[in-house]
């Protein structure tokens, strides 16, 4: 058998085991895995290296306008390059609908924005305007095109669709096998806190973390799970930041509910003290939900380890620390007028490897599950996320022993800061491939603008998870079946 590329002598890691062996690649696909493979137009020595599925970044904001009109600093070229340097072979950023926009127009816009991507990509929709046309025509068209997930917000006045809107979305998504993702924070609790803090003149960045209480997340996650239960639909809770929220997810999963969840490195690495840095520096660490405290970090790590979280995603939301981003409303703007979000697409996997695997909190297999395999399964990326014959050769070869300090230059993004600056991390993705093409090699970009392709995704995989539903929705659905038979 001949091969375009053979990766030899590496330790191949999957979500459920690892072994020493060689991987043969032809025309972008893995065609053989064996103890020893000879040949190969190119042979890559992976001795003393871990050979893992390329990361799938399932939560990133790229070339996206916020609801208040601020454009992210990264477009699909810089965002995909940064992702690749961080060990990712593909990503699923958001295509955001703002009120009044048609989903068809949104997708057309993001299709053209994504064209320069170096890595393969898909989109999650963000739906902020679930009108009848959106629910009945536009979303089903998007799902049929392989855009099989969408995010809704329970907070932000310009995005929050209310409980009724969520039920409508959950129900349409259920009918088409799509997955609803939710940003869960109680908008009224946050609004009330904002008014309390404003009345006291407490408007510097550190009050952002106070304004969005842990309870606001826990309440909203609980409500979102119950709404999903009523609609008998699967749910993915994004960027869980609290112990209470994680426990709600854990409880629902223990009951067999199709509830999935992620947390992000910022919630494992940073605390609200970071928002209290001198001057406006704290603005760099503002995201929603906000970062919490050291005790919460330990609880979240436990949930990472015990499987409450399916993935650890970056929530890369790059707004520069200048007048195009964080300081758009002035160098002393009150926290409600500072863009939420922070960069981290290149730091996600080095952080998770170092603080997770190297520190003994998770196994290499769990790293693979959290970085790629689970996202592929949940979001219907059937051709990626595992090293197996027939699948895309999306592979990252990691040196598990090199230690470096995080620098802005190593992020390769379009940002002017990284919140992880100076952290000492062990483990580096030395070679990253998308469909058999080396895109990053020992700190050099090898991938080309535009080589990434759109990934049409399958319906949500509910294996191992039964819907819970309610008596009332079951009765309604059985009457409906009777009426139409
Ligand atoms: O603060 C954040 N996380 N901004 C990005 C948008 C979002 O809600 O994920
Ligand atoms: Zn969010
Ligand atoms: Zn986000």
């Amino acid at each position: 058998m001949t091969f375009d590329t053979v990766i030899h002598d590496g330790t191949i890691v999957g979500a459920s085991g690892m072994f020493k062996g060689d991987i043969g690649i032809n025309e972008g696909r893995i065609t053989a895995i064996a103890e020893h493979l000879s040949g190969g137009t190119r042979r890559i020595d992976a001795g003393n290296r871990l050979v893992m599925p390329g990361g799938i970044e399932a939560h990133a904001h790229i070339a996206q306008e916020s609801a208040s009109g601020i454009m992210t600093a990264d477009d699909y070229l810089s965002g995909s390059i940064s992702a690749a340097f961080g060990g990712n072979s593909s990503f699923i950023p958001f295509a955001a609908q703002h009120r009044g926009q048609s989903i068809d127009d949104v997708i057309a816009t993001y299709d053209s924005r994504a064209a320069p991507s170096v890595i393969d990509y898909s989109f999650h929709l963000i739906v902020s305007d679930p009108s009848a046309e959106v629910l009945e025509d536009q979303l089903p068209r998007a799902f049929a095109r392989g855009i099989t997930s969408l995010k809704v917000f329970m907070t932000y006045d310009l995005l929050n669709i209310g409980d009724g809107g969520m039920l409508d979305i959950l129900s349409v998504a259920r009918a088409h096998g799509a997955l609803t993702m939710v940003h869960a924070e109680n908008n009224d609790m946050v609004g009330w806190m904002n008014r309390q803090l404003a009345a006291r003149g407490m408007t510097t960045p550190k009050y952002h973390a106070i304004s969005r209480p842990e309870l606001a997340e826990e309440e909203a996650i609980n409500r979102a799970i119950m709404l999903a239960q009523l609609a008998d639909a699967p749910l993915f809770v994004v960027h869980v930041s609290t112990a209470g929220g994680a426990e709600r997810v854990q409880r629902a999963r223990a009951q067999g509910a199709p509830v999935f969840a992620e947390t992000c490195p910022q919630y494992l690495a940073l605390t609200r003290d970071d928002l209290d840095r001198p001057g406006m520096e704290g603005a760099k660490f503002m995201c929603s939900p906000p970062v919490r405290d050291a005790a919460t970090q330990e609880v979240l790590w436990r949930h990472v380890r015990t499987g409450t979280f399916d993935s650890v995603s970056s929530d890369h939301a790059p707004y520069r620390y200048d007048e195009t981003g964080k300081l758009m409303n002035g160098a002393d703007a009150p926290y409600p007028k500072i863009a939420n979000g922070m960069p981290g697409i290149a730091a996600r996997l080095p952080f998770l490897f170092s603080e997770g695997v190297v520190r003994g909190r998770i196994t290499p297999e769990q790293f693979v599950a959290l970085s790629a395999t689970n996202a592929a399964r949940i979001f219907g990326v059937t051709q990626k996320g595992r090293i197996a014959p027939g699948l895309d050769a999306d592979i990252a070869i990691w040196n598990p022993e090199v230690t470096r300090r995080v620098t802005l230059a190593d992020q390769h993004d379009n940002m002017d800061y990284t919140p992880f600056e100076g952290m000492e991390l062990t483990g580096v993705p030395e070679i990253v491939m998308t469909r058999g093409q080396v895109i990053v090699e020992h700190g050099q970009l090898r991938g080309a603008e535009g080589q990434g392709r759109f990934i049409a995704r399958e319906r949500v995989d509910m294996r191992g998870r039964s819907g819970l539903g309610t008596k009332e929705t079951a009765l309604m659905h059985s009457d409906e079946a009777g009426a139409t038979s």
Side-chain angles (χ1 to χ4, degrees):
M1 201 166 177
T2 57
F3 299 106
D4 298 338
T5 305
V6 169
I7 301 171
H8 65 93
D9 292 310
T11 299
I12 301 168
V13 189
S16 49
M18 55 178 152
F19 54 94
K20 284 204 86 136
D22 296 357
I23 299 172
I25 298 168
N26 275 319
E27 293 178 2
R29 297 245 162 134
I30 297 167
T31 49
I33 301 174
E35 211 171 305
H36 180 72
L37 294 173
S38 49
T41 310
R42 177 169 185 192
R43 289 184 67 81
I44 298 176
D45 183 357
N48 300 319
R49 303 289 186 268
L50 299 178
V51 181
M52 305 199 272
I56 299 176
E57 170 61 81
H59 189 152
H61 303 271
I62 307 289
Q64 184 193 321
E65 297 99 351
S66 71
S68 50
I70 310 182
M71 190 58 147
T72 57
D74 280 311
D75 56 20
Y76 273 78
L77 182 59
S78 63
S80 64
I81 289 171
S82 183
F85 275 99
N88 297 288
S89 298
S90 62
F91 62 170
I92 317 176
F94 292 91
Q97 180 209 31
H98 296 298
R99 290 197 177 142
Q101 287 183 314
S102 94
I103 299 293
D104 303 278
D105 289 350
V106 169
I107 294 174
T109 300
Y110 281 86
D111 274 340
S112 83
R113 288 180 184 175
S117 185
V118 173
I119 61 176
D120 290 355
Y121 58 90
S122 189
F123 308 119
H124 309 291
L125 291 166
I126 286 176
V127 179
S128 63
D129 194 354
S131 63
E133 309 82 75
V134 166
L135 293 167
E136 287 158 24
D137 300 327
Q138 297 170 15
L139 283 179
R141 250 196 313 278
F143 299 148
R145 228 204 96 171
I147 300 175
T148 51
S149 51
L150 79 182
K151 181 181 177 190
V152 294
F153 286 79
M154 300 172 84
T155 187
Y156 298 131
D157 292 340
L158 293 173
L159 296 172
N160 173 20
I161 59 168
D163 292 354
M166 259 191 84
L167 285 165
D168 285 341
I169 292 280
L170 284 160
S171 159
V172 168
R174 173 191 189 277
H176 293 270
L179 180 57
T180 305
M181 306 160 79
V182 64
H183 177 136
E185 289 183 287
N186 181 309
N187 202 41
D188 284 349
M189 284 184 179
V190 173
W192 185 80
M193 287 297 286
N194 281 338
R195 290 192 294 282
Q196 298 300 312
L197 291 165
R200 291 166 173 77
M202 296 170 167
T203 60
T204 56
K206 79 169 182 180
Y207 291 106
H208 171 75
I210 313 286
S211 73
R212 310 186 83 92
E214 298 190 7
L215 268 184
E217 178 179 280
E218 184 177 344
E219 187 284 326
I221 289 179
N222 187 48
R223 183 156 37 102
I225 290 171
M226 291 200 170
L227 294 170
Q229 186 177 349
L230 179 61
D232 194 14
L235 182 73
F236 189 105
V237 186
V238 297
H239 49 47
V240 176
S241 70
T242 60
E247 275 150 28
R248 300 281 171 170
V249 170
Q250 184 189 34
R251 207 177 306 162
R253 290 166 71 102
Q255 292 175 309
V259 173
F260 308 96
E262 66 176 16
T263 190
C264 313
Q266 47 272 40
Y267 303 115
L268 301 165
L270 306 171
T271 70
R272 59 172 68 95
D273 290 346
D274 289 301
L275 280 85
D276 196 18
R277 297 200 189 189
M280 285 292 273
E281 286 279 306
K284 295 177 177 174
F285 302 89
M286 280 178 53
C287 59
S288 293
V291 296
R292 310 291 182 176
D293 56 26
T296 301
Q297 289 176 358
E298 282 318 305
V299 178
L300 293 177
W301 270 118
R302 177 164 56 73
H303 285 286
V304 170
R305 184 167 53 250
T306 56
T308 303
F309 296 123
D310 298 284
S311 29
V312 173
S313 306
S314 72
D315 192 4
H316 183 74
Y319 300 111
R320 290 168 65 97
Y321 187 63
D322 65 20
E323 67 292 342
T324 67
K326 295 281 182 185
L327 307 181
M328 176 167 262
N329 290 309
D332 55 359
Y335 74 80
K337 296 211 168 300
I338 299 173
N340 285 194
M342 62 176 82
I345 204 163
R348 167 181 85 116
L349 296 182
F351 171 85
L352 184 64
F353 189 86
S354 186
E355 289 294 303
V357 179
V358 177
R359 293 267 230 123
R361 290 172 164 128
I362 57 173
T363 63
E365 290 91 336
Q366 285 178 302
F367 173 84
V368 166
L370 290 159
S371 63
T373 309
N374 291 346
R377 178 175 47 80
I378 294 166
F379 292 113
V381 184
T382 50
Q383 69 277 37
K384 298 181 187 292
R386 289 178 297 128
I387 294 180
L391 265 62
D392 287 353
D394 281 20
I395 293 172
I397 303 175
W398 284 67
N399 182 333
E401 277 164 10
V402 174
T403 298
R404 31 172 215 188
R405 280 193 183 280
V406 176
T407 64
L408 176 61
D410 284 345
Q411 306 310 293
H412 298 273
D413 58 11
N414 231 346
M415 286 296 294
D416 52 0
Y417 78 94
T418 162
F420 304 103
E421 180 87 45
M423 275 192 78
E424 204 170 81
L425 299 179
T426 300
V428 175
E430 289 178 335
I431 294 182
V432 182
M433 291 179 168
T434 295
R435 280 181 285 105
Q437 300 290 314
V438 171
I439 51 172
V440 164
E441 188 173 10
H442 298 286
Q444 300 298 314
L445 180 68
R446 302 279 184 235
E449 177 172 343
Q451 82 177 70
R453 287 194 203 145
F454 173 73
I455 306 163
R457 292 180 289 121
E458 298 294 325
R459 294 155 67 103
V460 55
D461 184 342
M462 296 275 284
R463 261 174 300 174
R465 309 246 148 228
S466 54
L468 286 182
T470 64
K471 286 179 211 139
E472 295 82 0
T473 40
L475 287 167
M476 180 172 79
H477 287 141
S478 72
D479 276 8
E480 186 182 44
T484 52
S485 62

